[in-house]
């Protein structure tokens, strides 16, 4: 079945079964490897993307349910890795293994889009359900606070000393 979905600001045409999880459409059909497969049941958060700015689990979202929603993946946060969340993740050196970090970053970006100055409790609530087996939760919280400051100050990433390339602070493979 043919679907046209809006991914990272561009219409993308895919020919897949309507029940195919968005995760597999993004990874296998569109070759966007930033969205990770973790558990397949929506419990770990590794596959988090944005649907119209809200964090959503791509493994539990059939492509047919995406409809006209604007889908944003980690690759779409910014073309050059300068989104405040990406910069903060690099500055704080959040990832250990890095596998869960795309989902963590997407959840953090969704939080900051609706709450510019989250408290520790706000961060903990928003990030709950995004599992990090390496236990980088304190650095994740610190990076969310830094991203909030970067976003509110309009600071350019070069002023923080962060490298911008690659579109992500986490591994893409």
């Amino acid at each position: 079945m043919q679907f046209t979905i809006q991914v990272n600001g561009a219409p993308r045409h895919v020919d897949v079964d309507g029940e195919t999880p968005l995760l597999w459409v993004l990874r296998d059909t569109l070759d966007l490897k930033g969205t990770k497969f973790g558990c397949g049941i929506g419990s770990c958060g590794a596959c988090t993307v944005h649907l119209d700015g809200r964090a959503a689990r791509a493994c539990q979202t059939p492509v047919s349910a995406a409809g006209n929603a604007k889908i944003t993946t980690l690759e779409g946060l910014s073309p050059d890795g300068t989104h405040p969340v990406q910069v903060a993740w690099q500055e704080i050196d959040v990832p250990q293994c890095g596998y869960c970090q795309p989902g963590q970053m997407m959840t953090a970006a969704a939080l900051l889009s609706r709450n510019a100055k989250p408290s520790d409790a706000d961060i903990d609530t928003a990030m709950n359900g995004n599992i990090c087996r390496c236990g980088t939760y304190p650095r994740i919280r610190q990076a969310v606070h830094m991203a909030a400051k970067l976003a509110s100050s309009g600071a350019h990433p070069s002023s923080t000393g962060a490298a911008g390339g690659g579109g992500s602070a986490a591994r893409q493979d």
Side-chain angles (χ1 to χ4, degrees), residues 29 42 125 130 139 155:
T29 305
T125 298
N130 282 72
R139 290 192 307 236

Side-chain angles (χ1 to χ4, degrees), residues 29-108:
T29 305
L30 299 178
D31 200 33
L32 295 170
K33 303 298 188 195
T35 305
K36 303 296 185 201
F37 173 76
C39 65
I41 60 172
S43 293
C44 74
C47 67
T48 302
V49 297
H50 294 175
L51 293 179
D52 287 335
R54 292 180 335 273
R57 304 293 204 242
C59 72
Q60 294 295 295
T61 305
V63 69
S64 61
N68 294 323
K70 293 178 184 173
I71 301 163
T72 306
T73 67
L74 181 66
E75 296 92 342
L77 280 183
S78 73
D80 58 1
T82 59
H83 186 281
V85 168
Q86 293 168 313
V87 171
W89 248 248
Q90 289 178 353
E91 279 293 308
I92 303 298
D93 197 22
V94 173
Q96 256 183 266
C97 82
Y99 196 84
C100 70
Q101 296 306 314
Q104 302 279 0
M105 294 168 74
M106 294 305 291
T107 301

